[in-house]
Amino acid sequence: MPNKLKLNKKNTYYFIGIGGSGMSAQAKILISSGYKVAGSELVHSPNTDELETLGVHINYEITQNNIQDNQVIIYSNAVSIDQIELQKAKELDLAIYNRAEFISLLETAKGFSIAISGAHGKTSTTSLVAFLLEEAGLDPTCLIGGILPKWGSNARVGKSEYFVYEACEAFGNLANYNPTHIIVTNIDKDHLEYFDNDYNKFKEYWIEYINRIASNESNFVLLNYDDLEIKSVISRLSLNVHFFSLEKTNHDEERIIAHATNIQTTENGTGFFLEFFLLKKAISVSLPLFGKHNVANATAALTMCSQFVEPEKLIPTLQRFQNSKRRFELAGIFNGAKIYNDYGHLPVEVACAISAGEQSIATIDE
């Protein structure tokens, strides 16, 4: 990794693969903060269209001439190491960062950085954390892997010490992140191609990440106790790790600090009762989302946000939450049938979408 970068408004931050969800979000943060941004992409997309309306010059013809001496290069992990712009940047000895390295640089400028990871649920959970902290007045800067309807964007620039981001485990990126607070929703099988299709290597990678962050006693690490793979490695995890659960209480595992119970489908989503054992508090939650998986996501988000805000103050705003685009998003109603758009593509995610759909059947609005 290059030497630590100090952002400089004399430089242009050039994103190779700027149209990607994570890349475009980082670009928007820099733009909103007054930095010069440019980049390249192979095709036009809604993300590139939005960036161009913000004044970003995007090259759709990839040549070495796109790279200039005053640029700092940020590249997508999807970009080949032989990509000609990247090769030119190396020839010019420019500062070069991959997407994860640049996120790590952004987070070091903040007092509290909250990273959400996991094969499933990270976008929804990140969206919930970002929304709750914003509604609580904490003014966070946020990077999300989806478009949050409230912002009409996948990024938000705040002026506070809070930085919320989605930390994808692909490409070995977790090794680059240094958050003060983390949520791990699960360590299910995904992106194994980066680990020689060896799930044991993948689990070792997660254990190393969790324990590295937990090694700082002032950090806050929150994991899903109900995930069978997380449960299988608990004996190897730091004692400075906390859990949330829908199935167990702190009588089963003393490090469980939050427990959701009495889960019921309502007309507009899901209701449940949430106990915070460390805080010695319990609250009734009305969540405008369907599915048990979203109860887990909300439990994780509320538990994390309760580190900064009294939990009972978070609940009134939750009813206004709209999840990111393509996360069981209602596209319309046709002949009395609700049509949903959902990003889920792994077996567990498809099963969750089907379950949420079954729960929503009785709520069709005429």
Side-chain angles (χ1 to χ4, degrees):
M1 182 175 176
N3 292 331
K4 183 175 178 181
L5 171 71
K6 184 175 181 180
L7 295 178
N8 187 332
K9 292 188 177 179
K10 294 181 179 180
N11 292 327
T12 294
Y13 295 86
Y14 191 91
F15 289 76
I16 301 176
I18 197 168
S21 179
M23 294 285 280
S24 62
Q26 290 182 57
K28 290 173 195 174
I29 283 179
L30 290 181
I31 295 162
S32 297
S33 301
Y35 294 93
K36 291 178 287 188
V37 174
S40 62
E41 188 53 84
L42 297 176
V43 296
H44 291 266
S45 71
N47 283 337
T48 59
D49 291 344
E50 181 185 1
L51 290 169
E52 287 179 317
T53 64
L54 295 173
V56 177
H57 176 73
I58 299 177
N59 295 305
Y60 296 97
E61 182 180 352
I62 311 302
T63 74
Q64 289 189 343
N65 294 332
N66 297 337
I67 304 303
Q68 306 297 324
D69 285 331
N70 67 333
Q71 293 173 342
V72 173
I73 307 301
I74 304 97
Y75 67 95
S76 164
N77 289 115
V79 171
S80 167
I81 59 172
D82 297 324
Q83 201 262 9
I84 57 176
E85 291 175 315
L86 196 56
Q87 288 302 309
K88 182 64 175 180
K90 290 177 181 178
E91 289 177 17
L92 295 176
D93 197 28
L94 302 181
I96 301 172
Y97 300 86
N98 68 34
R99 184 177 69 86
E101 290 170 342
F102 199 70
I103 288 177
S104 182
L105 293 173
L106 293 175
E107 75 179 339
T108 58
K110 301 292 185 178
F112 302 99
S113 54
I114 305 164
I116 294 88
S117 302
H120 327 297
K122 58 180 173 285
T123 297
S124 295
T125 306
T126 307
S127 299
L128 279 159
V129 171
F131 175 85
L132 289 168
L133 293 183
E134 181 191 9
E135 289 289 311
L138 272 61
D139 195 23
T141 295
C142 309
L143 291 170
I144 299 177
I147 303 298
L148 198 65
K150 181 180 180 184
W151 310 333
S153 176
N154 52 1
R156 179 186 190 276
V157 177
K159 297 181 180 179
S160 75
E161 289 296 297
Y162 295 90
F163 183 58
V164 181
Y165 66 97
E166 185 172 327
C168 182
E169 69 276 7
F171 305 101
N173 281 340
L174 295 180
N176 292 300
Y177 301 135
N178 293 286
T180 60
H181 294 66
I182 68 172
I183 292 172
V184 178
T185 59
N186 54 76
I187 54 174
D188 200 1
K189 300 176 181 67
D190 197 10
H191 304 300
L192 294 185
E193 64 271 28
Y194 307 113
F195 301 89
D196 302 320
N197 291 313
D198 185 336
Y199 186 53
N200 287 326
K201 285 185 180 180
F202 187 63
K203 285 208 289 190
E204 291 297 322
Y205 163 72
W206 277 106
I207 292 168
E208 181 179 349
Y209 170 66
I210 292 165
N211 284 340
R212 176 170 62 85
I213 305 304
S215 66
N216 184 333
E217 292 186 359
S218 65
N219 289 346
F220 182 76
V221 177
L222 182 66
L223 276 57
N224 181 3
Y225 187 81
D226 301 335
D227 179 60
L228 294 179
E229 298 297 348
I230 288 178
K231 198 174 294 185
S232 74
V233 300
I234 281 180
S235 64
R236 300 184 56 196
L237 298 179
S238 166
L239 293 178
N240 188 34
V241 168
H242 303 287
F243 299 99
F244 67 91
S245 176
L246 277 58
E247 301 173 2
K248 303 291 184 180
T249 74
N250 60 348
H251 296 297
D252 302 287
E253 161 60 61
E254 62 181 9
R255 288 181 290 171
I256 293 175
I257 62 171
H259 173 229
T261 186
N262 295 336
I263 301 168
Q264 298 180 353
T265 300
T266 66
E267 182 179 356
N268 299 311
T270 312
F272 61 98
F273 194 64
L274 184 53
E275 299 175 275
F276 297 99
F277 297 121
L278 287 182
L279 298 176
K280 297 181 180 179
K281 291 183 177 181
I283 55 176
S284 179
V285 180
S286 182
L287 180 68
L289 302 174
F290 293 100
K292 188 176 179 181
H293 63 293
N294 276 319
V295 174
N297 296 337
T299 296
L302 287 164
T303 304
M304 177 58 72
C305 292
S306 72
Q307 299 300 301
F308 312 108
V309 183
E310 293 179 9
E312 57 269 25
K313 294 182 179 179
L314 298 168
I315 300 305
T317 65
L318 193 57
Q319 274 299 303
R320 297 196 294 273
F321 177 73
Q322 287 182 276
N323 208 351
S324 289
K325 296 288 187 180
R326 299 182 66 199
R327 271 62 185 183
F328 202 68
E329 179 186 11
L330 181 63
I333 298 176
F334 181 75
N335 288 342
K338 284 186 174 181
I339 311 299
Y340 287 95
N341 183 5
D342 194 87
Y343 180 75
H345 52 286
L346 297 174
V348 170
E349 295 168 345
V350 173
C352 287
I354 292 171
S355 175
E358 290 173 343
Q359 291 180 28
S360 72
I361 287 173
T363 69
I364 297 175
D365 296 322
E366 297 297 337

